[in-house]
Amino acid sequence: MDLTEPLRPTSLHEEVAARLRTMVFERQLQPGEWIDEMALVEQWHISRTPLREALKVLAAEGLVTLVPRRGCQVAELSEDDAADLFPVMALLEGRCAYEATRKATAADIDELQTLHAALEDCAARGDTDGYYRHNHVFHSRVQALAANRWLDRTTGDLRRFIRLLRGRQLAWPGRMQASIAEHRALMQALVARDAAQAERLMHDHLMAQLQALKALRQREARSATPAEESDVHAR
């Protein structure tokens, strides 16, 4: 290998991987959905090689699953996955809030308040999709302000899996209003430079998301049961 050879610009498969990643996070590719490789090849006017290389990248990240002789399926978080993941994220994001509170400049706090204002606007309008998007930006910014590369790496790796849910817990009645109330309290702690309080509030905020998700899934399971029983009797 010639180490003096000029490096190439971003390869095609990396661009394809970025596009696929966005489709997964935006739920244009649904959890559990089988990816239609031929359709994407035709739509994007590419060969199957960069697509398959891109799918390998996403498989390594845990966003898709490669199934021999069947194809590629978008990853889906089970109830057990969520129950295991959220407490870990609560610890990590709590630590992010702690370190961000200690390290953020006055300008950084102003920026967080601006991001929080966007959340307030979405909550007031009942814009669940907008709230989810701005919430992701807010949490990512707190993570960045923690300025801890090890914490950032670990939190960033796991945040990908949280994004697979795309804020589903916001569909639980009253959850968005509860979430914005939690954010208000967090902002107060950040402004007051109370790092311990910010850590606790962020931790509890993540755990509240898990509880809402559990309640939502239980309601969906109860709703599905009668339909399934009717289908069985019909047979």
Side-chain angles (χ1 to χ4, degrees), residues 79 82-83 86-87 169 205-215:
E79 290 188 25
F86 270 90
Q169 74 278 353
H205 175 57
L206 267 291
M207 293 307 294
Q209 291 181 37
L210 175 59
Q211 293 308 311
L213 180 62
K214 285 182 175 180

Side-chain angles (χ1 to χ4, degrees), residues 101-177:
T101 304
R102 294 175 61 244
K103 297 175 183 178
T105 65
D108 293 331
I109 297 297
D110 287 344
E111 180 185 3
L112 289 177
Q113 288 181 314
T114 298
L115 295 175
H116 173 76
L119 282 172
E120 289 277 10
D121 179 63
C122 289
R125 292 185 288 106
D127 181 0
T128 302
D129 188 61
Y131 190 91
Y132 161 76
R133 292 174 184 275
H134 287 291
N135 187 58
H136 172 68
V137 173
F138 182 93
H139 281 257
S140 296
R141 188 58 185 146
V142 171
Q143 177 183 330
L145 291 176
N148 179 326
R149 67 187 179 113
W150 302 111
L151 181 60
D152 182 66
R153 179 173 181 172
T154 306
T155 307
D157 284 345
L158 293 183
R159 192 184 299 283
R160 286 199 297 264
F161 299 100
I162 293 289
R163 292 184 72 186
L164 287 174
L165 296 169
R166 207 176 186 281
R168 280 198 66 224
Q169 74 278 353
L170 293 173
W172 181 248
R175 177 57 203 153
M176 187 157 55
Q177 291 307 316

Side-chain angles (χ1 to χ4, degrees), residues 21 24-25 27 29-31 61-64 74-77 85 132 158-168:
R21 202 176 288 117
V24 169
F25 290 148
R27 289 212 164 200
L29 290 171
Q30 294 286 327
E61 294 175 355
L63 298 180
V64 301
V74 180
E76 185 171 17
L77 285 186
L85 176 59
Y132 161 76
L158 293 183
R159 192 184 299 283
R160 286 199 297 264
F161 299 100
I162 293 289
R163 292 184 72 186
L164 287 174
L165 296 169
R166 207 176 186 281
R168 280 198 66 224

